[in-house]
């Protein structure tokens, strides 16, 4: 009898596992369960509960806890799928000799890992992290975290909030535009729309975001350089990456976003974070193997330039191991957060980039991930 496959979905930066019915990996989880069952593979798919902005080491210890709780009863193969920072957690988990702290015995489980898939992960860092190190960047991060939760719950932000926030971002380079009281007002206004029970849960999540932000300096190009120097691949583990590149903000992407005022104003948020992410130092861009370069050129028609990104992470920073898929998508599209409300359950977008990414591309991407995970089974 074939051993059970244990698959762990590791969320990224400020990624919650769920808040009531709000599930970070909801669509990916559903697809994986159906596809693995269709192939007759006995499996258990687990979404990892991670501290949202804690250090990579702390988050990797969270991953170990999830594995200990669900994979101790057998010796079946383990597969790790990490979105964004979750991809770095997966790499540290499998790194030979990784020290996650006293009493954290990762080796018995790390030796069972067969594949690591990273999705839109910042393997060379992201300059957006450098922006979030500033005082206003930290406050903005907390507000953006609440935006994500709110949109996944209600489908969209109130227009009164979006207009005020769009005005704030339009003056981002003007210190007079950064009004602490306005950030507080937007925060309180959004949080007040939840029920008492949900508000408490969201407040706890946002408290985690505010209380431990040690992850942020680790994700800068300078911080990730040390991570890469001390984290090695494990022999016998297959490493693959899903790479995303979104269109630069332009008149074309504004047209693609549609005429709805909400879509246009939230596109402003996308344009703002895209602009910060574009500023990747040329010296921080990693060198790629001929196979990786060929995969990117085949997917995009040309090698992505140094400013290419998905709005959060530079595209060339995302390449690691075998390039499984390289798609036109923003940072959240690949895990199912794009605009397709007619699908059941609906796909809800908040990073409105005009990428055009939809369900067919989503299913093709995740089918490739499953193929990679089960590659040993076909030999």
């Amino acid at each position: 009898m074939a051993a059970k496959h244990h698959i762990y979905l590791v969320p990224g930066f400020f990624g919650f596992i769920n808040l009531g019915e709000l599930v970070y990996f909801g669509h990916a989880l559903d697809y994986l369960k159906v596809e693995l069952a269709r192939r007759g593979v006995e499996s258990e798919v687990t979404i990892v509960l991670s501290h949202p902005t804690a250090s990579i080491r702390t988050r990797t210890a969270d991953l170990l806890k999830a594995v200990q709780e669900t994979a101790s009863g057998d010796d079946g193969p383990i597969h790790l799928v990490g979105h964004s920072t979750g991809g770095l957690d997966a790499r540290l988990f499998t790194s030979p000799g990784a020290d996650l702290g006293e009493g954290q015995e990762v080796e018995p489980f790390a030796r069972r890992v067969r594949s690591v898939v990273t999705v839109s992960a910042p393997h060379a860092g992201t300059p957006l992290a450098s922006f979030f190190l500033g005082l206003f960047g930290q406050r903005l991060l907390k507000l953006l975290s609440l935006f994500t939760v709110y949109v996944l719950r209600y489908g969209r932000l109130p227009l009164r909030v979006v207009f005020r926030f769009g005005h704030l971002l339009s003056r981002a380079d003007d210190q007079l535009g950064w009004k602490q009281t306005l950030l507080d007002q937007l925060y309180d206004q959004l949080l007040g729309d939840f029920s008492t029970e949900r508000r408490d849960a969201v407040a706890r999540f946002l408290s985690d975001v505010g209380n431990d932000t040690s992850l942020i300096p680790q994700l800068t190009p300078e911080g990730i350089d040390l991570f890469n120097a001390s984290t090695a691949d494990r022999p016998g583990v297959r490493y693959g990456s899903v790479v995303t590149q979104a269109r630069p903000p332009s008149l074309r992407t504004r047209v693609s976003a549609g005429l709805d005022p909400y879509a246009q104003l939230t596109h402003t948020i996308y344009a703002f974070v895209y602009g910060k992410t574009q500023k990747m130092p040329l010296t921080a861009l990693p060198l790629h193997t001929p196979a990786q370069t060929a995969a990117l050129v085949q997917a995009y028609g040309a090698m992505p330039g140094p400013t290419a990104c998905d709005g959060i992470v530079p595209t060339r920073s995302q390449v690691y191991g075998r390039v499984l898929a390289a798609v036109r998508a923003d940072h959240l599209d690949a895990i199912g957060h794009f605009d397709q409300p007619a699908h059941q359950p609906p796909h809800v977008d908040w990073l409105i980039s005009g990428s055009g990414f939809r369900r067919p591309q989503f299913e093709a991407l995740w089918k490739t991930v499953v193929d990679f995970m089960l590659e040993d089974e076909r030999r």
Side-chain angles (χ1 to χ4, degrees):
M1 182 177 178
K4 178 194 290 186
H5 290 254
H6 296 272
I7 299 160
Y8 296 89
L9 303 179
V10 191
F13 189 82
F14 76 72
F16 48 87
I17 176 173
N18 64 350
L19 291 166
E21 72 275 17
L22 311 180
V23 182
Y24 183 94
F25 273 115
H27 288 283
L29 175 70
D30 292 344
Y31 178 84
L32 288 173
K33 286 182 175 180
V34 170
E35 181 63 15
L36 289 164
R38 186 187 69 81
R39 300 187 189 203
V41 176
E42 184 183 5
S43 64
E44 181 177 6
V45 185
T46 301
I47 302 179
V48 176
L49 175 60
S50 298
H51 287 80
T53 51
S55 70
I56 297 171
R57 189 188 195 198
T58 296
R59 290 167 50 89
T60 305
D62 294 334
L63 170 57
L64 174 59
K65 179 181 178 182
V67 174
Q68 289 172 329
E69 291 175 348
T70 55
S72 295
D74 59 60
D75 59 354
I78 292 173
H79 307 274
L80 307 178
V81 182
H83 174 247
S84 195
T85 308
L88 305 179
D89 303 340
R91 283 179 53 198
L92 181 58
F93 186 94
T94 56
S95 181
D99 181 3
L100 303 184
E102 186 176 353
Q104 303 284 349
E105 295 295 330
V106 66
E107 183 60 29
F109 298 99
R111 67 168 66 108
R112 290 169 52 185
V113 175
R114 296 293 174 266
S115 70
V116 169
V117 176
T118 64
V119 181
S120 308
H123 297 288
T126 173
L128 186 60
S130 302
F131 167 74
F132 283 137
L133 283 174
L135 175 61
F136 284 106
Q138 291 180 28
R139 296 181 66 82
L140 189 63
L141 170 65
K142 196 170 182 179
L143 190 59
L144 287 172
S145 304
L146 180 54
F147 277 15
T148 305
V149 174
Y150 193 100
V151 171
L152 294 180
R153 173 65 180 87
Y154 293 108
R156 59 171 54 199
L157 296 168
L159 279 178
R160 64 185 186 280
V161 170
V162 177
F163 273 108
R164 299 182 76 186
F165 191 65
H167 175 68
L168 181 68
L169 293 186
S170 71
R171 303 180 63 191
D173 293 327
D174 178 358
Q175 290 300 315
L176 293 176
W178 290 110
K179 296 292 187 181
Q180 179 172 320
T181 54
L182 178 55
L183 290 174
D184 290 336
Q185 289 170 11
L186 292 173
Y187 181 89
D188 292 340
Q189 192 170 42
L190 287 175
L191 198 58
D193 284 345
F194 290 100
S195 67
T196 300
E197 182 179 356
R198 177 62 58 74
R199 186 162 56 245
D200 290 343
V202 173
R204 285 192 298 271
F205 163 71
L206 295 172
S207 178
D208 283 344
V209 171
N211 291 338
D212 186 355
T213 57
S214 51
L215 174 63
I216 298 176
Q218 295 179 341
L219 298 183
T220 64
E222 299 79 12
I224 210 69
D225 185 56
L226 180 60
F227 173 84
N228 286 329
S230 57
T231 305
D233 290 351
R234 176 174 291 267
V237 174
R238 291 174 287 106
Y239 292 83
S241 55
V242 172
V243 178
T244 47
Q245 178 181 211
R247 297 189 182 106
S250 64
L251 177 60
R252 179 184 177 187
T253 59
R254 286 208 172 271
V255 172
S256 298
L259 299 176
D260 181 73
Y262 170 80
Q264 287 297 316
L265 287 164
T266 47
H267 185 75
T268 300
I269 299 175
Y270 165 71
F272 178 81
V273 294
Y274 189 102
K276 300 298 180 183
T277 307
Q278 277 187 306
K279 299 176 181 179
M280 186 72 165
L282 289 175
T283 54
L285 289 172
L287 297 175
H288 301 318
T289 67
Q292 291 170 339
T293 299
L296 294 177
V297 171
Q298 181 179 9
Y300 296 125
M303 188 67 175
T307 61
C309 68
D310 63 7
I312 302 293
V313 176
T315 297
R316 285 162 61 176
S317 179
Q318 302 170 27
V319 177
Y320 200 86
R322 189 193 311 173
V323 177
L324 306 180
V327 295
R328 296 280 182 181
D330 65 44
H331 193 67
L332 297 177
D333 285 341
I335 56 170
H337 300 309
F338 50 86
D339 184 32
Q340 197 162 340
H343 186 272
Q344 291 301 320
H347 289 273
V348 178
D349 194 10
W350 83 266
L351 190 65
I352 299 179
S353 61
S355 68
F357 191 85
R358 294 295 183 267
R359 183 73 190 192
Q361 295 97 315
F362 175 82
E363 292 186 359
L365 184 160
W366 285 94
K367 179 181 181 299
T368 301
V369 171
V370 175
D371 289 341
F372 182 71
M373 287 192 296
L374 301 180
E375 200 168 90
D376 290 340
E377 303 292 307
R378 301 197 301 270
R379 292 176 180 173

